[in-house]
Amino acid sequence: MNRNVILTCAVTGAGDTTAKSQHVPITPKQIADDCIAAAKAGASIAHIHVRDPETGGISHSLDHFREVMERVREADVDIVMNITAGGGGDWIPDANDPTRGGPGTDIQTPAQRHEPVGELLPELCTLDCGSLNFGDMVYVNPADWLREHARLVQAAGVKAELECFDLGHVWFARQLQKEGLIEGDPLYQLCLGIPWGAEADPETMLAMRNKLPENAQWAAFGIGRHQMPMAAQAVLLGGHARVGLEDNLYLKKGTLATNAQLVEHASTLIENLGARVMTPAETRAHLKLRNPHTGGIEGQSNGGQS
């Protein structure tokens, strides 16, 4: 069991959830406000996507990411920031010409995916470690694209959170480490319950955890009604946890949640298991992340590398 838990709040994804709950933040200000509220509720990390303020749909705008980051950094709270770098991978074949992407396709190159990370330098960014059938579309992450993307993240000095939606993704993430594209202790996020990837159950989580490198830090999440059970399961198996409106809209059946409520609920759950949630400062030291206030790397000995 993990007694010191890093708790991530994934405040808004890119999915079609805004019509299902009025609590899903859309504008940069709303997203920043939810990051701040999550921090005040006790979250260690805020994981962010951005949305088109007019439609609520997918946005890759650097300006939107910048506004969120600036608002959070200027607030009277501290929280580790984790920017998604997994956008622009949605592929839906055109019905008349399957060699082309049809409506709903959204593809970016590794350089385009990396732009907000390289420009804004958050402490963390995601690196999704493989392709899969993601619901009714294909989420596209070719191996050579991921190698290129890993090099960009590495050069920026940002720590990659290795998102794994199936066992083969864990295998490929280990390969990136063998090739020297992931430095230090790797950080894995086990993503459970997305059709048609890894299922959200204890057996699957344990199987994926058992394939991680010995020096790995790891977290896990489940979507929908699996969110809290998978958070508890991750802590019991020695990992960290993630909650938030990207993955689940409900506090309980029939009751829509806010991000802050999900953080509070998860924090209470973690404490009832006999553990505690780590502060953002403790999280930076534990994961050896860049401190955005000083520019230095937390958790490194003064006698080591700076």
Side-chain angles (χ1 to χ4, degrees), residues 2 16 27 51 57 86-87 125 128 151 157 167 185 202 215 284 289 295:
N2 181 14
D16 183 21
T27 69
R51 293 177 178 269
C125 72
D128 296 355
R151 291 187 189 97
L167 265 174
D185 295 341
N215 65 331
R284 290 189 189 95
L289 304 177

Side-chain angles (χ1 to χ4, degrees), residues 231-245:
Q233 190 68 65
V235 173
L236 292 171
L237 289 178
H240 305 287
R242 166 173 143 175
V243 296
L245 294 179

Side-chain angles (χ1 to χ4, degrees), residues 144-260:
D144 283 345
W145 281 28
L146 290 173
R147 288 185 172 94
E148 180 184 347
H149 199 168
R151 291 187 189 97
L152 293 169
V153 174
Q154 187 178 53
V158 175
K159 189 174 186 70
E161 181 186 64
L162 303 167
E163 289 207 327
C164 297
F165 296 81
D166 221 337
L167 265 174
H169 298 182
V170 176
W171 184 9
F172 184 74
R174 296 201 315 265
Q175 181 63 28
L176 290 177
Q177 190 177 1
K178 287 180 182 178
E179 294 175 14
L181 298 174
I182 304 296
E183 298 176 355
D185 295 341
L187 174 62
Y188 283 77
Q189 181 72 258
L190 308 182
C191 312
L192 307 177
I194 293 94
W196 303 103
E199 293 183 82
D201 57 46
E203 295 85 358
T204 302
M205 185 186 294
L206 183 60
M208 295 177 78
R209 187 209 67 173
N210 288 346
K211 291 293 186 178
L212 301 179
E214 289 185 4
N215 65 331
Q217 293 287 327
W218 69 278
F221 70 86
I223 67 169
R225 62 186 175 87
H226 300 293
Q227 183 166 89
M228 295 301 165
M230 291 299 99
Q233 190 68 65
V235 173
L236 292 171
L237 289 178
H240 305 287
R242 166 173 143 175
V243 296
L245 294 179
E246 176 174 351
D247 308 319
N248 163 52
L249 300 178
Y250 290 91
L251 192 62
K252 60 183 180 180
K253 187 174 182 179
T255 302
L256 291 169
T258 66
N259 278 303

